[in-house]
Amino acid sequence: MTSDRHDAQQDPARHDPPGRLGMLGRGMLLGALLGAVSLFAVAATGPDPGPAPLVTPRYVEVGAGDQVRQVYAGGFTFFVGGGVAVFDCDDDGLPELYLAGGEQPASLLRNDSRPGTSVRFTPVPDPATDLVGVTGAYPLDIDGDGILDLVVLRVGENVMLRGLGDCRFERANEAWGIDGGDAWTTAFSATFEPGEQRPTLAFGNYLDPDDTDRATCQDNVLLRPEPGGTTYAPPIALSPSWCTLSLLFSDWDRSGRRDLRVSNDRHYSREGEEQLWRIEPGAAPRLYTREEGFEHLRIWGMGIASHDVTGDGRPEVFLTSQGDNKLQTLVGEAGRPTYVDLAITAGVTAHRPHLGGDVRPSTAWHPAFGDVNNDGFIDLFVSKGNVEAQLDHAERDPSNLLLGTAEGRFEERSAQAGVVSYGRGRGAALVDLDLDGLLDLVEVQREEPVRVWRNLGAGSAEGRAATGPSEPLGTWLALRLADGPPNRDAIGAWVELRIDGRTRVIEHTVGGGHAGGHLGWIHVGLGTAGHAEVRVHWPDGETGPWQRVEAAQLAVIERGAGAPRLVEVTR
């Protein structure tokens, strides 16, 4: 680089006694819900931009042939998982892919794309990365050296891979004092607690792989560094745990503290439910209670995505499941995690297949927010696919591409965009692979090759292959945050943007999704704006100055620097 489907379908007798939410009264709850929805139509603070035509981007598939042949496969322990980690491991600005393989070796793919012209990958074989038993992976700079590392989740020992530069890695469990355990691990998230030299790591585990007949959920674990040190203390069990498939550290109430959201698969436990752990620096983790406002919710939890959809400055939480999915928004008073569901109002329940004729309930896995048409309104991709051969759930279950509208709802456009697949989707990523300002799509599919679609914008996919220029839709910019060690990527920061009189915020996190995530350029669609004003609320609470960034730029915002550093990528 130059540089059971739905809570409303459950037996009401199974619900716990109502907490404070029940005492709000139906009228107050409805008022709070309508207030949240009214913000939805703006999607950011500021004047309503008014109705705008919904433009669908055109995609062309480039990765199911010779370029990307990685397959996620295996028996029962690999029915779940199948993640992809997206990150730049050779410092050329272009993001690489690390793909889980299940019983087959995982695969690292170097990005050899030509910016704005083609999407291409080359496998990078290496015993360090070609691990078997991999369910997923997440990029994270654990040792603060400015080179991204990999947290590799496995059935068996989790492996920490230290980045050496030029897409080379070495095992680092012993050097960092990290106990990789021997669990069936399916989820991960990380945060940096004040004063520590290493990130706090959370691992989400599924069933006991040695005792699947009893269907015993294994405890999730929290790894904190030794106080002020560079190695880790023994794991802390997060008990009770209920077969977790997604974790996310988030400053959900903008308090400056990052708590741990947990999404659990209720299939294996009648007691299981969604969870929120309070992670207080220097204190033992504890679960939020009914009395504190966190209400009972049981779903087949698969994945978490977080974004400020309503424009109130706090993140909404999208939860994938079997049957209908949830879009939760905060309605509680300050410090109380009381949520209501906006999914029906927003049009994102996505509870049955939208194509293919199968009317049975859907099975959703990886959710990802991103502005795929650069119109300034956030969109949502949801990967879908039958677990294996569940007869009571859809077998033809295409993934959703839901485009956000100026009116505050989402509309299904996967067929018009050209990203329809009837494979069993798992992990996924919305990411600009060729740095042309358009979000491309990667989707892992069980027992089929990974699929990669290139976003051509307004261009036609007819007759196109992997090469050819894209045609822009709206304007855009891409941002990266740069801080000093230990948290060089400023995980936990909030990016605030002023665009044509409206203000948006984006939380910078590691975790969520289904078994994989992206760390790199933060993509922002600008609509018709020619620039944005940007400032960063850094993880320690310091707020940087407003800085102007022109559209169609790759800009690095460094703490304390006089102006954003612009990056030009050529190949």
Side-chain angles (χ1 to χ4, degrees):
M1 183 171 62
T2 52
S3 9
D4 358 314
R5 267 93 287 168
H6 167 312
D7 228 29
Q9 297 172 328
Q10 300 168 28
D11 180 355
R14 294 186 184 179
H15 285 238
D16 286 359
R20 182 175 177 86
L21 180 58
M23 295 184 288
L24 284 173
R26 296 294 180 186
M28 292 180 65
L29 179 57
L30 180 60
L33 177 58
L34 292 175
V37 174
S38 69
L39 287 172
F40 217 26
V42 181
T45 58
D48 186 341
L54 185 61
V55 178
T56 303
R58 293 294 299 167
Y59 283 82
V60 59
E61 188 171 358
V62 299
D66 293 334
Q67 292 188 56
V68 184
R69 302 197 60 84
Q70 178 70 6
V71 174
Y72 182 74
F76 175 68
T77 50
F78 301 106
F79 285 4
V80 300
V84 51
V86 185
F87 66 117
D88 180 8
C89 62
D90 57 7
D91 200 33
D92 66 352
L94 294 163
E96 273 70 47
L97 305 179
Y98 182 72
L99 296 157
E103 289 181 354
Q104 302 183 25
S107 179
L108 177 64
L109 302 178
R110 188 189 298 272
N111 191 338
D112 292 325
S113 300
R114 295 180 60 192
T117 303
S118 68
V119 171
R120 297 182 180 278
F121 293 94
T122 302
V124 183
D126 188 329
T129 52
D130 298 348
L131 301 169
V132 295
V134 174
T135 60
Y138 290 80
L140 177 68
D141 186 358
I142 294 177
D143 58 2
D145 65 354
I147 302 173
L148 288 177
D149 311 306
L150 272 176
V151 178
V152 182
L153 312 182
R154 301 174 67 236
V155 178
E157 182 191 35
N158 298 319
V159 176
M160 309 300 112
L161 294 177
R162 178 174 178 261
L164 303 175
D166 196 29
C167 294
R168 295 175 299 113
F169 294 86
E170 66 179 10
R171 176 185 169 96
N173 289 46
E174 291 74 21
W176 293 339
I178 290 179
D179 181 352
D182 60 358
W184 176 356
T185 303
T186 48
F188 175 79
S189 190
T191 189
F192 284 79
E193 296 188 72
E196 300 299 344
Q197 298 303 305
R198 292 287 186 267
T200 292
L201 314 176
F203 293 86
N205 297 322
Y206 205 55
L207 293 173
D208 182 346
D210 298 323
D211 191 17
T212 54
D213 289 340
R214 294 181 59 189
T216 302
C217 296
Q218 291 187 292
D219 278 342
N220 301 330
V221 295
L222 190 75
L223 269 65
R224 280 173 153 162
E226 296 284 2
T230 58
T231 59
Y232 281 81
I236 301 168
L238 297 175
S239 184
S241 293
W242 307 116
C243 288
T244 295
L245 286 174
S246 195
L247 297 169
L248 182 64
F249 279 110
S250 173
D251 183 3
W252 57 273
D253 62 350
R254 300 300 301 268
S255 65
R257 184 191 61 259
R258 288 116 202 154
D259 293 326
L260 182 65
R261 185 70 185 251
V262 184
S263 195
N264 297 311
D265 182 1
R266 61 171 287 186
H267 184 78
Y268 295 105
S269 175
R270 297 179 66 89
E271 297 81 20
E273 60 181 308
E274 299 298 279
Q275 296 170 304
L276 181 64
W277 288 88
R278 186 179 178 94
I279 308 296
E280 195 82 51
R286 68 168 182 84
L287 283 170
Y288 280 88
T289 65
R290 308 282 188 274
E291 292 72 24
E292 291 174 296
F294 194 73
E295 290 296 311
H296 176 82
L297 176 63
R298 294 185 70 216
I299 60 174
W300 284 261
M302 308 287 201
I304 303 172
S306 178
H307 190 83
D308 178 19
V309 177
T310 64
D312 66 353
R314 302 181 299 184
E316 275 64 50
V317 181
F318 188 80
L319 304 171
T320 55
S321 181
Q322 289 186 298
D324 62 333
N325 304 289
K326 307 292 184 183
L327 178 62
Q328 294 192 318
T329 190
L330 274 168
V331 296
E333 59 199 60
R336 293 183 62 83
T338 302
Y339 289 86
V340 296
D341 187 16
L342 295 179
I344 293 176
T345 304
V348 293
T349 56
H351 56 291
R352 296 187 189 279
H354 60 283
L355 293 170
D358 199 326
V359 299
R360 289 170 290 180
S362 282
T363 302
W365 298 89
H366 185 101
F369 284 109
D371 190 349
V372 299
N373 55 6
N374 290 337
D375 65 353
F377 299 99
I378 202 67
D379 309 312
L380 175 63
F381 175 80
V382 182
S383 72
K384 286 186 173 179
N386 198 290
V387 173
E388 183 66 8
Q390 290 189 339
L391 298 180
D392 54 347
H393 289 83
E395 294 177 81
R396 290 174 61 79
D397 197 6
S399 301
N400 294 95
L401 182 62
L402 296 152
L403 301 189
T405 70
E407 293 76 29
R409 289 181 56 83
F410 290 80
E411 293 187 10
E412 172 56 49
R413 292 294 180 93
S414 65
Q416 297 91 327
V419 293
V420 175
S421 167
Y422 290 99
R424 286 172 291 180
R426 291 298 189 263
L430 284 177
V431 61
D432 187 355
L433 295 172
D434 58 345
L435 299 184
D436 62 352
L438 296 164
L439 289 177
D440 308 301
L441 174 61
V442 180
E443 185 177 20
V444 178
Q445 298 188 340
R446 177 166 162 77
E447 296 186 325
E448 294 184 19
V450 171
R451 306 188 79 151
V452 179
W453 286 274
R454 181 175 173 229
N455 188 342
L456 299 176
S460 170
E462 298 299 324
R464 294 288 184 94
T467 61
S470 56
E471 297 179 24
L473 293 167
T475 59
W476 59 275
L477 59 84
L479 304 171
R480 286 181 65 176
L481 307 183
D483 202 354
N487 187 6
R488 287 186 178 270
D489 295 295
I491 306 303
W494 286 85
V495 179
E496 187 175 7
L497 301 108
R498 295 195 299 218
I499 304 166
D500 277 348
R502 297 188 298 143
T503 301
R504 288 187 247 165
V505 294
I506 300 171
E507 186 180 20
H508 191 38
T509 61
V510 168
H514 184 76
H518 167 235
L519 182 56
W521 296 108
I522 301 169
H523 177 89
V524 183
L526 302 181
T528 59
H531 73 278
E533 292 179 301
V534 182
R535 71 175 177 180
V536 179
H537 302 271
W538 298 95
D540 61 3
E542 179 183 333
T543 298
W546 286 105
Q547 299 182 349
R548 180 180 171 117
V549 183
E550 301 299 321
Q553 298 285 355
L554 303 167
V556 179
I557 300 180
E558 302 179 51
R559 193 196 305 229
R565 175 168 57 87
L566 303 183
V567 174
E568 182 177 352
V569 177
T570 58
R571 187 176 288 277

